[in-house]
Amino acid sequence: MTTFVPSQNSAIAVTNALLTTSPPHVSHDEVLCVMRNHFGGAQEIKALSGERDRNFMVRSDAGRCLTLKFINHAESTEEIAMQVAVLKHFAEHHFEREVPVHIPSSLTSQDWLDIKLSDGAVRVRAYSYLDGSPGSQLKAEPEVWRDIGRATAQLTCAMQPFTHVGAHRPFLWDVTQLPLLKPMLSVIEQPALHDAVQRFMQRFEQQIQPLIQTLPQQVIHNDLSPSNMLSCAEGRRVVGVLDFGDMVYAPRIAELAVAASYQMSRGENPLAVLDAVMAGYGEVLELTEQERTAVVDLVMARLVQRIVITSWRAAQFPANSTYILRSRSEAEALFKQLMTFWEPSRTGAE
């Protein structure tokens, strides 16, 4: 099965809906009602951060802690089914780190619910709440970066048997579909940065995209940022992985590139950080020479996504811009730093 490559028009139509549809409006009383009718009542409710969905941490009357997700109206049924299916997959396949457990309705056993709220109809699903330190507390040290690499490879191995039609979709956060961002480049207001991003995207489309589609591929998590990892209390090990909402069918090495892109700003030498992440990955899963060559290209592609997509979304949702833009500035700085040697190397290769 090959990577899904959508037409420009179909992809923009689908992804614009995801970019411009606000999360559902949900009141405290409505959360209580859903819990009472479908999950056994609630003792405690706490709103959680999120971009597309409205999420709550809820402690049930039985003392179980779960996440209640009120799903964005623009998300398709296939995408919801995929996110449920992958959690069921992990319940049957060994993975060294913790992941949420899917929780169906206690009354109907449905995987998700269609609920009527004051804001209209919305779909809701639940999964176990993983309590722990956020991934941002992982220490910026070589051995920690190696552990992130190991966790990434272990996740890749655990997900290798997983397949789902929902992963073959137009999606702006898929690095293999980077050219879909071209109509959005006007959000970059700095002329020098705009021109650099445009040059990178041209080279990506002409030289890199055809090559990465020949690499080993599978469904990947696609968003191993600090926000989606849990750290041990000492900050030295990844103990959990969260949020499988960005899954795509893509080169498996893209998982490593995405994870590394969020760590490379944390060390004095970003390439040394990348080497440490790759070394940890290689302890679990051997990299091909072609994958090693593609890693920096895919890191750069993810940095472009973080610059362009977050700028676009922040303009759409100014009230949530602080959360949306939380990593944009470091992505911009790292992109500029890497571009100083990446561009000459690519020019020389020609």
Side-chain angles (χ1 to χ4, degrees):
M1 192 176 291
T2 59
T3 301
F4 178 73
V5 181
S7 70
Q8 187 82 11
N9 290 338
S10 68
I12 292 300
V14 172
T15 52
N16 271 358
L18 285 170
L19 287 170
T20 58
T21 303
S22 299
H25 175 75
V26 185
S27 70
H28 183 275
D29 287 345
E30 287 171 329
V31 177
L32 281 175
C33 183
V34 171
M35 286 298 299
R36 183 173 58 250
N37 293 338
H38 299 282
F39 297 100
Q43 296 178 351
E44 177 188 0
I45 297 173
K46 178 183 176 183
L48 302 173
S49 60
E51 289 188 37
R52 297 198 296 263
D53 306 319
R54 191 75 67 196
N55 303 314
F56 297 87
M57 185 280 288
V58 184
R59 192 174 304 278
S60 72
D61 285 345
R64 178 172 62 174
C65 205
L66 56 84
T67 299
L68 203 60
K69 179 180 286 291
F70 292 78
I71 301 165
N72 191 291
H73 296 100
E75 190 151 275
S76 71
T77 301
E78 282 184 349
E79 290 169 312
I80 299 171
M82 174 174 64
Q83 294 174 50
V84 171
V86 76
L87 297 187
K88 291 181 177 181
H89 169 83
F90 279 112
E92 299 177 356
H93 292 78
H94 176 66
F95 176 44
E96 288 80 349
R97 323 291 168 132
E98 194 173 6
V99 296
V101 176
H102 170 64
I103 301 175
S105 166
S106 59
L107 299 182
T108 64
S109 298
Q110 291 175 272
D111 285 333
W112 66 85
L113 306 164
D114 292 292
I115 302 291
K116 291 279 190 178
L117 302 180
S118 58
D119 196 38
V122 67
R123 289 168 293 190
V124 184
R125 65 184 182 93
Y127 49 89
S128 61
Y129 179 82
L130 302 186
D131 196 9
S133 301
S136 57
Q137 293 188 17
L138 288 163
K139 296 185 181 298
E141 298 176 355
E143 188 48 46
V144 176
W145 293 322
R146 290 177 73 99
D147 185 65
I148 291 171
R150 285 191 292 271
T152 302
Q154 290 161 356
L155 179 63
T156 299
C157 291
M159 291 186 67
Q160 195 278 326
F162 178 72
T163 60
H164 199 280
V165 66
H168 301 265
R169 55 176 171 160
F171 194 56
L172 290 184
W173 285 109
D174 180 352
V175 291
T176 67
Q177 300 180 36
L178 188 70
L180 295 177
L181 301 186
K182 288 191 292 185
M184 300 179 180
L185 292 188
S186 60
V187 297
I188 304 177
E189 297 178 352
Q190 309 97 305
L193 179 62
H194 178 280
D195 291 347
V197 167
Q198 191 169 51
R199 292 197 305 273
F200 174 82
M201 291 183 69
Q202 288 172 345
R203 291 182 184 276
F204 184 93
E205 190 170 16
Q206 294 167 3
Q207 302 175 11
I208 301 165
Q209 193 174 36
L211 294 177
I212 61 176
Q213 292 188 18
T214 68
L215 301 177
Q217 304 199 15
Q218 65 173 75
V219 180
I220 63 172
H221 177 283
N222 194 42
D223 193 17
L224 286 180
S225 66
S227 300
N228 293 329
M229 294 188 289
L230 291 177
S231 167
C232 68
E234 297 76 22
R236 298 190 177 279
R237 185 175 186 273
V238 177
V239 296
V241 173
L242 309 171
D243 194 353
F244 289 79
D246 282 5
M247 288 183 294
V248 292
Y249 186 84
R252 67 181 185 182
I253 193 60
E255 194 84 279
L256 171 60
V258 169
S261 75
Y262 290 95
Q263 301 299 321
M264 291 168 67
S265 299
R266 306 189 68 210
E268 294 183 5
N269 182 346
L271 294 182
V273 177
L274 178 59
D275 286 344
V277 176
M278 291 177 66
Y281 186 99
E283 293 175 18
V284 177
L285 190 59
E286 185 176 0
L287 289 160
T288 68
E289 189 57 38
Q290 291 80 8
E291 287 177 316
R292 288 182 177 277
T293 300
V295 168
V296 175
D297 295 331
L298 294 176
V299 167
M300 297 280 285
R302 173 46 64 115
L303 294 175
V304 168
Q305 290 174 316
R306 288 168 60 189
I307 293 168
V308 177
I309 299 173
T310 57
S311 298
W312 179 275
R313 284 186 57 79
Q316 300 295 322
F317 302 105
N320 200 27
S321 62
T322 299
Y323 178 81
I324 294 171
L325 295 173
R326 63 195 181 279
S327 69
R328 186 201 182 281
S329 59
E330 71 175 39
E332 179 182 328
L334 182 57
F335 174 80
K336 290 177 179 177
Q337 185 177 2
L338 296 180
M339 194 71 169
T340 60
F341 76 86
W342 181 89
E343 190 167 32
S345 70
R346 276 287 170 184
T347 302
E350 293 178 357

